[in-house]
Amino acid sequence: MSPTNPARPATDPTPTPGRAGRAEHAGRPAAIPRGAARTTRAARTTPADRARADRAPADRARADRARAGGHRVGRSGRIAFVVLTAPIVIGLGIFKYVAIGWSFLLSLSDARGTIALGHWVGLDNYRTLLSDQAFRDSLLQILLFTVFIVPVTFAASLGLALLVHRIRRGRALLRTTFLVPAAVSYVAASLLWKMCLFNGLPAGIANMIGGWFGAEPVAWLQSTSPPLYWVVLVTLRLWLQVGFYMVLFLAGLQAVPKELYEAAALDGATGRRLLTGITLPMLRNTSVAVLMLLFIAAFQAFDEFYNLFNSGLSGTGTAPVQTPLVHLYNTAMGSQNYGLGSAGAFVLTALVVGVTLLQGRFTGFGRSGE
């Protein structure tokens, strides 16, 4: 009985099929040798490929030239930036920072009638200024003015912003109408209030309106008992500033998500609850910024006080009220004591910076996460 898998005899004349033969026997194409494959790919290269290969060195050279040109453009751009900004930087350096440094040196010198550095007196100018009763009175007056004008301007600006924000039609017109006074010069507005509205004559607008109700003409700026000049000062400042801060509040109101109001309305919140629960908390950052700007503007009050009560370079001595800046202006320009005036400028700057830092401390303005 023959075996199931008999071994092939060693003398079998049938040749053993190679790789190609086995592939053909299996019905698959025979593998192409490696050298033949390279020859086949070279044969399949089209003229476009050969042209692209020929252009490759030129493309690389062109890219290198472009990069070199970019470096040249970058250098020329930096040169142009320096040339264009140099006049502004030099002007700021000379007329601002150098002037501030020179003013500080003057505050430590006895500079009378000249801005040249005189006899070195150290802190004597600061001691003299702080012991001056007129300067201390001006500080007290500006503090009282600030305590009154800041909350009044804040409330008026916020109220107008809430009203204008509710209006659907004509909002842009009202916003522009209230903002226009902010572009008016303080000097021009002061002269308008002094010569037209509150000039003290029967033909003045304020007295004419009062005459319709049987009131007698009033000398608004000269009346000290009661001090009616405060009516002129307060109305002038409100007219000039309310529109600007109203626009800031409007920007804050437009940033409040409407979804908060819709969710609160679903819970039954209306009117005052929406104002105290959503609007005011969402306006916290805007309110702090507005308060800070109002405090700084109040301490820097000068134009309206000077132009309403002044009739000449040395005519402010009879003014019923003076701010620190008006007092320092009279000291420097009227008495020609530039050392004392410079010392007062730095004292007032320190006061403004201190109040601003205290306000930021109490309100948390500028902290991380605000």
Side-chain angles (χ1 to χ4, degrees):
M1 185 174 183
S2 61
T4 306
N5 295 318
R8 183 190 295 257
T11 59
D12 189 359
T14 305
T16 302
R19 185 181 299 175
R22 289 197 300 269
E24 291 175 356
H25 182 73
R28 297 188 299 272
I32 302 175
R34 188 173 300 172
R38 287 196 296 268
T39 305
T40 303
R41 283 196 299 271
R44 286 200 302 267
T45 303
T46 61
D49 296 334
R50 289 193 293 273
R52 192 178 300 110
D54 294 338
R55 289 196 304 269
D59 293 340
R60 285 194 296 271
R62 191 178 301 108
D64 294 338
R65 289 193 299 271
R67 283 193 294 270
H71 291 307
R72 288 194 297 271
V73 171
R75 287 194 296 270
S76 62
R78 288 191 291 270
I79 293 173
F81 174 79
V82 172
V83 171
L84 292 175
T85 58
I88 299 176
V89 174
I90 294 173
L92 284 175
I94 295 176
F95 298 106
K96 185 175 181 180
Y97 299 109
V98 173
I100 292 175
W102 192 262
S103 178
F104 179 71
L105 295 176
L106 284 177
S107 69
L108 303 175
S109 304
D110 185 13
R112 297 176 183 268
T114 178
I115 60 173
L117 297 180
H119 177 65
W120 186 266
V121 295
L123 299 178
D124 287 348
N125 285 328
Y126 292 91
R127 286 191 288 265
T128 302
L129 185 70
L130 293 177
S131 62
D132 186 4
Q133 185 62 38
F135 181 72
R136 293 203 300 266
D137 290 342
S138 67
L139 289 177
L140 178 60
Q141 290 170 351
I142 199 62
L143 286 175
L144 294 176
F145 177 71
T146 301
V147 169
F148 179 79
I149 198 63
V150 168
V152 171
T153 308
F154 182 89
S157 303
L158 179 59
L160 281 178
L162 292 173
L163 292 176
V164 173
H165 186 67
R166 289 176 174 270
I167 297 176
R168 299 302 178 186
R169 294 183 180 181
R171 181 187 300 176
L173 177 61
L174 288 176
R175 184 170 59 241
T176 304
T177 302
F178 287 113
L179 185 60
V180 165
V184 178
S185 168
Y186 274 64
V187 176
S190 301
L191 294 178
L192 178 65
W193 250 244
K194 179 179 180 179
M195 301 175 66
C196 297
L197 296 179
F198 298 96
N199 57 10
L201 300 176
I205 296 178
N207 285 332
M208 184 173 60
I209 294 176
W212 296 344
F213 300 94
E216 295 293 331
V218 176
W220 296 91
L221 294 176
Q222 289 77 27
S223 179
T224 58
S225 182
L228 296 179
Y229 53 84
W230 283 113
V231 177
V232 185
L233 291 168
V234 170
T235 55
L236 174 58
R237 172 141 304 217
L238 288 175
W239 184 76
L240 287 169
Q241 292 190 344
V242 164
F244 173 73
Y245 297 110
M246 180 204 70
V247 172
L248 296 183
F249 278 120
L250 277 177
L253 289 172
Q254 293 173 359
V256 178
K258 295 182 179 179
E259 292 79 6
L260 296 178
Y261 292 106
E262 295 173 356
L266 292 177
D267 293 337
T270 58
R272 185 176 179 180
R273 291 183 60 187
L274 290 176
L275 177 64
T276 58
I278 296 178
T279 303
L280 294 181
M282 295 299 294
L283 287 178
R284 180 178 181 276
N285 290 338
T286 304
S287 300
V288 172
V290 168
L291 283 175
M292 188 173 296
L293 292 175
L294 284 172
F295 271 110
I296 295 174
F299 277 103
Q300 292 179 339
F302 173 79
D303 293 315
E304 63 269 38
F305 287 86
Y306 182 82
N307 289 280
L308 286 175
F309 302 109
N310 182 35
S311 58
L313 183 60
S314 60
T316 55
T318 59
V321 59
Q322 285 187 356
T323 64
L325 283 181
V326 174
H327 177 79
L328 296 176
Y329 180 83
N330 294 331
T331 301
M333 303 303 295
S335 303
Q336 298 289 303
N337 193 340
Y338 297 107
L340 195 61
S342 298
F346 282 97
V347 169
L348 186 60
T349 301
L351 180 62
V352 172
V353 172
V355 172
T356 303
L357 292 178
L358 286 176
Q359 182 186 0
R361 177 71 176 177
F362 289 132
T363 58
F365 186 75
R367 293 178 183 172
S368 59
E370 287 294 326

